[in-house]
Amino acid sequence: MGVFNAIWPHVGAWPTDVSLDSDIADINSTLWTGNTAAFLEEARRLRDKEAARKLSAETKSQIYLAALLAIVPVMISLTGKDGILGDLKFERYYDVAAFVCMVISIIYGVGAFSSAFRSLRVQAFHRGDVEELVCKAGRQLDEEYIIKEILKSVRYDRSSVNQKVSYVRVTRSHILLMSGFLLAALFFVALFPRFLEIGSLLSAAVCGP
């Protein structure tokens, strides 16, 4: 599994959050009797941290998608008739290597696009409901109730945010692999033949014609 994930980074089937119900029950049953102001401040800090993780993951996914879309015209120009990868002669082994690297690069680019899009599709985020606060308006809205609602929203969101972040990490891995194979393809087309020519000249100079 580790080797396959290194070759093709992926999130896989997301596991069921088996401890969610018990954690929510613990939050509901806990009595916040002492120093509720400090607990409320900490709960808000946790909520802000989780919201920041979610916003960061979504922002990165959008940046990755924009970058991948911007690369499409570049890839087309490289592989077109007038591009440096459009004039490959497959009787040369390094042309075959360049073609293989280019195909692999495109595959990783598609994988990166898919992972970034999946990250944006992860939903099911929670917060304190407006109706619940309105119902509480006629009574004393104590800090204990707010603490519980904030902590429950944080706990409900944990799995979704972790899944979103995991897709972002996979997207980054695919982009790095795509870039590496694209550079390898360009190397085999643009630089490797020059190295062969230099090697032939040096061999002729040292060993004679």
Side-chain angles (χ1 to χ4, degrees), residues 72-123:
V72 172
V74 177
M75 300 285 277
I76 293 176
S77 65
L78 289 175
T79 56
K81 183 178 179 180
D82 298 328
I84 63 174
L85 293 174
D87 190 26
L88 297 177
K89 299 177 181 179
F90 290 98
E91 65 268 14
R92 301 178 300 194
Y93 68 91
Y94 50 84
D95 284 348
V96 177
F99 176 76
V100 172
C101 289
M102 191 65 189
V103 171
I104 295 175
S105 177
I106 293 173
I107 293 174
Y108 278 123
V110 174
F113 188 91
S114 175
S115 296
F117 184 71
R118 288 182 180 182
S119 176
L120 293 176
R121 290 186 60 189
V122 177
Q123 299 296 330

Side-chain angles (χ1 to χ4, degrees), residues 2 5 50 55 89 91 109 131 133 158 169-170 175 181 200 203:
N5 192 64
E50 206 72 6
L55 179 60
K89 299 177 181 179
E91 65 268 14
E131 294 182 359
L133 294 177
R158 181 180 299 169
R169 291 174 178 172
V170 168
I175 289 177
F181 278 100
S200 297
S203 178

Side-chain angles (χ1 to χ4, degrees), residues 185-201:
L186 296 176
F187 169 79
F188 281 117
V189 171
L191 296 179
F192 192 75
R194 306 297 180 268
F195 289 154
L196 291 180
E197 292 176 3
I198 294 173
S200 297
L201 291 174

Side-chain angles (χ1 to χ4, degrees), residues 50-68:
E50 206 72 6
R53 290 180 67 219
K54 171 180 174 291
L55 179 60
S56 175
E58 291 181 344
T59 301
K60 290 177 181 178
S61 296
Q62 293 168 359
I63 293 174
Y64 290 152
L65 283 175
L68 290 168

